[in-house]
Amino acid sequence: MPELAPDGAAAAALTGRHYRVRDRYEVGREKVREFARAVQNHHPAHHCEADAAKLGWDAIVAPPTFASVIGMATTQALLDSVLSEYDLSQILQTDQTFRIHRPILAGDVLHSEAEIESIRHLRGNDFISVKATVLDAEGTVVQVGSTTLVARLGAEVDADIVRLVEGVVMRRREVGSAAPEVLVPIPAEQATPEPERAQSRRDLTVDTGPHFEELTVGDQLPAATMQLSRGDLTNYAGVAGDPNPIHFSDRAAELAGLPTVVAHGMLTMGLGARYLTEWLGDPAAVETYSVRFSGFVPVQAFSPAQIEFTAKVKALHPERKVATILLTATSEGKKLFGRALAEVQLS
């Protein structure tokens, strides 16, 4: 069993803590559309109300990974306050899971809760597991995201990195200003429990291209190739609110030991969601989507990176017409996902 960080008592005290984000998040129609463009998801339900209505929704539907925008703000609030001993330049995301009880829609008024599920110390790194629950205005769970961040606690940060980050990183507030009180601690018993998806999605119908009865275990999905340019990375950084300069600064990438600027893991995951929804035909069909990141996409200055996606049916669950899909993504012959799974509801 891994030992806790050197300040083990503090880490143990934080484990299991719950917080509520003070302010609401109002989902804007244009924000949904710009996020869909940023992850290259051209499904018409993400862009036009008439097409969303054909699938039974009264507003445009956000792509499956849209909750990462809300989750990024929640994670940043934790780093600004509760986890302030960690330096942003020393943090990497190793995995992400979305459990989708219903799609996020333009016009939704959402609230968030966060839980620090665990902090483990292993081989000089701290592994911080965070769960973020997104609720609608009535307090019903919409989606739940889980992620693991890896950080070096107490490591000496290179002075060149500090200077560079200060010069190029996206500003969240004026230097020297006090951080707003974003998070409110709440007792664990007041945290909103996650419902069973079979219960929360019982009234949700989907209209998918592939039908459950047509699938067998081992079926291969059509392969697809997508491209990412430096412009795509810069655009996604702004849309998603990700300030890490390794995604747009060659110098930052060099100081981090990377061969060149690299794509965001969440952008690559978003492209994988596009791959799924293009096959499904209905973005609401994605129930869960989880990725363990194992590689990165290098993006050169004057030529786009190529990403190849493939997938196969790993399991079928006839009681709810749900299929488990195993995805693979590669770039320059290297695997990007250690393991990527999606559970999808079929018509």
Side-chain angles (χ1 to χ4, degrees):
M1 180 177 179
E3 62 179 359
L4 287 173
D7 189 1
L14 286 173
T15 298
R17 290 277 187 91
H18 293 258
Y19 301 87
R20 185 167 290 136
V21 178
R22 290 175 60 91
D23 202 4
R24 65 189 181 277
Y25 185 97
E26 297 185 9
V27 182
R29 175 180 184 268
E30 298 312 314
K31 183 67 174 184
V32 170
R33 297 173 79 186
E34 73 177 16
F35 184 85
R37 288 192 294 270
V39 295
Q40 303 180 16
N41 196 324
H42 311 301
H43 193 287
H46 301 319
H47 301 272
C48 180
E49 285 84 355
D51 292 291
K54 293 175 183 177
L55 297 174
W57 304 103
D58 58 5
I60 62 172
V61 181
T65 61
F66 180 85
S68 61
V69 176
I70 307 170
M72 172 63 72
T74 302
T75 300
Q76 191 62 65
L78 285 169
L79 292 171
D80 282 344
S81 53
V82 182
L83 301 172
S84 57
E85 68 270 29
Y86 297 101
D87 185 275
L88 178 65
S89 67
Q90 302 293 294
I91 292 176
L92 293 173
Q93 183 181 17
T94 66
D95 57 57
Q96 175 69 52
T97 297
F98 294 103
R99 298 188 291 277
I100 301 172
H101 297 274
R102 74 153 170 88
I104 292 173
L105 306 175
D108 275 340
V109 177
L110 303 174
H111 300 268
S112 300
E113 296 178 2
E115 177 189 358
I116 301 174
E117 294 189 295
S118 66
I119 302 177
R120 297 171 296 129
H121 187 67
L122 184 64
R123 293 189 295 272
N125 295 316
D126 276 8
F127 289 74
I128 310 161
S129 297
V130 177
K131 181 174 76 174
T133 302
V134 177
L135 307 101
D136 64 17
E138 286 72 44
T140 302
V141 174
V142 176
Q143 298 187 15
V144 177
S146 300
T147 189
T148 303
L149 307 173
V150 180
R152 292 193 64 80
L153 178 62
E156 189 68 27
V157 181
D158 190 303
D160 287 338
I161 294 179
V162 173
R163 284 192 294 271
L164 182 134
V165 168
E166 288 177 347
V168 304
V169 74
M170 182 171 60
R171 296 291 175 191
R172 298 188 305 279
R173 61 179 183 272
E174 289 300 315
V175 176
S177 64
E181 187 183 5
V182 177
L183 298 177
V184 178
I186 58 173
E189 58 270 19
Q190 291 183 16
T192 305
E194 182 178 0
E196 291 287 333
R197 283 193 309 280
Q199 180 70 14
S200 66
R201 293 176 61 97
R202 68 187 186 283
D203 298 324
L204 193 156
T205 58
V206 296
D207 184 13
T208 58
H211 297 284
F212 183 83
E213 291 77 12
E214 301 169 352
L215 299 179
T216 58
V217 173
D219 283 351
Q220 299 284 330
L221 277 62
T225 300
M226 302 179 198
Q227 294 186 344
L228 285 176
S229 68
R230 288 283 181 95
D232 294 322
L233 270 56
T234 304
N235 181 53
Y236 184 83
V239 171
D242 188 334
N244 196 326
I246 64 171
H247 305 304
F248 53 82
S249 166
D250 284 297
R251 180 59 176 152
E254 177 188 350
L255 288 171
L258 297 167
T260 186
V261 162
V262 299
H264 310 70
M266 290 305 305
L267 173 53
T268 309
M269 188 175 183
L271 296 182
R274 166 196 163 183
Y275 172 66
L276 281 172
T277 55
E278 284 183 345
W279 173 67
L280 290 164
D282 186 344
V286 179
E287 286 196 4
T288 68
Y289 181 30
S290 64
V291 167
R292 183 184 307 134
F293 303 110
S294 63
F296 53 79
V297 181
V299 183
Q300 304 297 332
F302 302 110
S303 59
Q306 308 283 329
I307 304 172
E308 294 78 35
F309 289 95
T310 59
K312 67 178 181 180
V313 178
K314 178 177 172 57
L316 294 169
H317 313 281
E319 66 281 0
R320 293 185 51 239
K321 292 188 175 181
V322 169
T324 301
I325 308 298
L326 179 65
L327 291 89
T328 301
T330 59
S331 182
E332 298 183 351
K334 297 179 180 178
K335 289 182 62 175
L336 305 176
F337 302 155
R339 186 171 177 81
L341 290 171
E343 290 184 346
V344 299
Q345 181 181 343
L346 297 154
S347 55

